[in-house]
Amino acid sequence: MQTRVTPFRPRRAGRLILLALGACLSAAPARAIDGGASASRGDALAQATVGIGTVTRPDDRYRLTRCSGVLIAADLVLTAAHCLNGDPVGAIVVFYRGSQAVSPVYTARTIARYSPDPGDLSAEAAGITLADLSLDLAVLRLSAPVRDRAPVPLASSPRRVPAALRMAGVGLSQRGVGRLRTARLVPLAASSTGLTIARAEGARVCLGDSGGPVVGQDRRGLFVWGVASAVITARAPCGNLVVVAPAAQVFGERAPGRLARSAE
């Protein structure tokens, strides 16, 4: 069945560069969300957001990929699959207290990868086409369950895009673990499969924020709408137009540990 885009406030983006948000050591230093707000200790989104570092060896050198992710079960983390490309030698996951990283550090392994169906998106919606988009999701299993953090459940349907979204990212730097920041997102366009293009309000999303959770909220609390999969920008490495890979259509009844919330 053909899917259609639900426009919010479409606008032309002009000449754009579409970038996957993951970074490696050979690239320029990764930066966290530029602008936005520092995460607070009592914020449920900040409590569940993680920094992810994966080590790969595509040739005779080791390389580090830096990304973000979100705790969706006691021992499971959702992130962008391109953060884990190249058959990683290993992966570590770091949690935060407020904007600062804290111990312990967990090791993790990839247990699932998904390529969500983007649906249809017209050329007028945010000035891009689906052929340009990077949409991927992956689930990591932690070396041990996390007991002092509350996982964030997944959206139960990809068809009801929240009017307001929020994302978090850590933008790991070359000097170590970066600071956790959050930003508000305004949806601009979305397909019926849940692919969403959103604009960051008063902030720009940068390298290292890939895989960062994008959440909505209802009377029951936060839910994961998807993860930041790419940024659309004319000036790398940051931009304020974010492509969100939807989580609900991939998981649902197939979710590990029945992660998706039941619909009301």
Side-chain angles (χ1 to χ4, degrees):
M1 180 177 67
Q2 188 178 42
T3 55
R4 297 182 181 276
V5 168
T6 302
F8 286 82
R9 283 185 283 172
R11 70 180 201 180
R12 292 190 177 277
R15 295 183 62 189
L16 301 174
I17 302 172
L18 190 68
L19 300 174
L21 298 175
C24 61
L25 283 175
S26 59
R31 293 179 283 180
I33 292 173
D34 183 17
S38 293
S40 62
R41 294 192 176 191
D43 185 355
L45 174 58
Q47 287 283 317
T49 300
V50 302
I52 300 171
T54 57
V55 178
T56 60
R57 193 176 185 182
D59 43 42
D60 59 347
R61 295 184 301 171
Y62 287 99
R63 297 184 182 182
L64 174 67
T65 298
R66 311 174 182 87
C67 283
S68 305
V70 59
L71 188 71
I72 56 174
D75 63 344
L76 298 177
V77 165
L78 178 68
T79 187
H82 63 259
C83 294
L84 307 169
N85 286 344
D87 191 19
V89 175
I92 60 170
V93 173
V94 180
F95 286 86
Y96 290 76
R97 181 173 295 116
S99 63
Q100 301 291 332
V102 295
S103 297
V105 174
Y106 294 79
T107 59
R109 60 184 178 87
T110 306
I111 62 169
R113 300 173 190 257
Y114 302 97
S115 296
D117 176 9
D120 292 331
L121 189 64
S122 67
E124 290 76 22
I128 64 172
T129 60
L130 291 183
D132 298 322
L133 301 183
S134 170
L135 283 180
D136 50 29
L137 294 163
V139 177
L140 293 171
R141 188 178 299 280
L142 300 177
S143 53
V146 178
R147 303 299 184 189
D148 61 346
R149 306 277 171 156
V152 181
L154 305 181
S156 57
S157 171
R159 298 179 181 274
R160 305 175 68 177
V161 184
L165 296 166
R166 197 158 61 104
M167 76 163 289
V170 300
L172 305 183
S173 71
Q174 289 185 354
R175 294 183 179 180
V177 179
R179 294 191 174 188
L180 175 58
R181 298 185 69 82
T182 64
R184 296 191 179 278
L185 304 180
V186 177
L188 300 178
S191 74
S192 62
T193 62
L195 176 150
T196 305
I197 304 215
R199 183 181 67 245
E201 293 267 289
R204 297 187 303 161
V205 179
C206 302
L207 296 174
D209 294 325
S210 194
V214 175
V215 301
Q217 187 164 0
D218 59 20
R219 62 181 179 81
R220 293 180 291 174
L222 292 180
F223 56 89
V224 178
W225 181 252
V227 302
S229 186
V231 62
I232 305 167
T233 180
R235 299 182 62 184
C238 302
N240 68 349
L241 290 181
V242 183
V243 180
V244 182
Q249 61 151 318
V250 172
F251 295 101
E253 294 180 357
R254 294 191 296 128
R258 301 179 65 181
L259 302 174
R261 295 195 304 191
S262 58
E264 291 184 285

